Amino acid sequence: MNGIYIAFRKKLRAEEKATDIVSRFMYRLSKNRLGAKLGIYIPAGVFDEGLHIWHYGNIIVNAESKVGKNCMLHGDNCIGNNGKTEGCPIIGDNVDIGTGAKILGNIQIANGVKIGAGAVVVKSFLTENATIVGIPAKEIDRK
């Protein structure tokens, strides 16, 4: 599966860099076919460089979301709107998103935040390097 994931990432970046509509369409088609095998839907232009996916499967990202550099996804993640409004998350650099974490709504997540497994994030967290966990997510003490 690792080879398919690498091919997926290459197609995603190629789609983002394509300058003509035909090339962009061909890369998107190829990327989406690979994504269907992996259980991943990530539109072009959402993630900055350095995206790392630890586990494949069930990763859905809304095209209106924006994610900074070096984001880590651990699988079974959803990043998108909350179903009530069209606003989507803006996530900073170096954010680590745990297995099963969901980030929903028109919210912001600061740089370096760690989001615990199974957390449901529905409000903004603007403290850099914070750790947030729970349903709904709350910042935990950094003692």
Side-chain angles (χ1 to χ4, degrees):
M1 276 298 213
N2 196 27
I4 295 174
Y5 168 64
I6 291 169
F8 175 84
R9 274 195 332 200
K10 286 181 179 179
K11 298 291 184 184
L12 173 65
R13 295 309 179 193
E15 178 189 356
E16 292 171 344
K17 292 177 183 175
T19 56
D20 65 282
I21 196 162
V22 174
S23 294
R24 187 172 298 143
F25 174 78
M26 295 305 291
Y27 284 123
R28 181 179 304 141
L29 181 65
S30 180
K31 175 201 71 173
N32 288 345
R33 284 183 181 152
L34 292 171
K37 290 179 182 179
L38 295 168
I40 298 173
Y41 176 74
I42 299 175
V46 172
F47 287 87
D48 205 334
E49 64 188 42
L51 169 64
H52 188 82
I53 299 173
W54 287 101
H55 303 286
Y56 317 118
N58 205 24
I59 297 173
I60 307 295
V61 181
N62 186 299
E64 300 302 315
S65 301
K66 294 293 174 203
V67 183
K69 296 178 182 175
N70 304 316
C71 178
M72 287 191 283
L73 298 173
H74 290 269
D76 191 24
N77 303 117
C78 180
I79 301 172
N81 66 25
N82 60 12
K84 297 176 184 174
T85 64
E86 293 185 20
C88 291
I90 299 173
I91 300 172
D93 296 339
N94 304 308
V95 174
D96 188 346
I97 302 171
T99 303
K102 314 299 185 222
I103 305 169
L104 307 170
N106 188 17
I107 62 173
Q108 292 184 341
I109 305 296
N111 295 332
V113 170
K114 290 181 178 25
I115 301 172
V120 178
V121 184
V122 293
K123 69 176 189 174
S124 293
F125 288 91
L126 303 176
T127 304
E128 290 195 0
N129 303 311
T131 300
I132 55 179
V133 298
I135 303 172
K138 294 181 177 140
E139 185 176 349
I140 59 173
D141 290 333
R142 294 181 280 167
K143 292 182 181 179

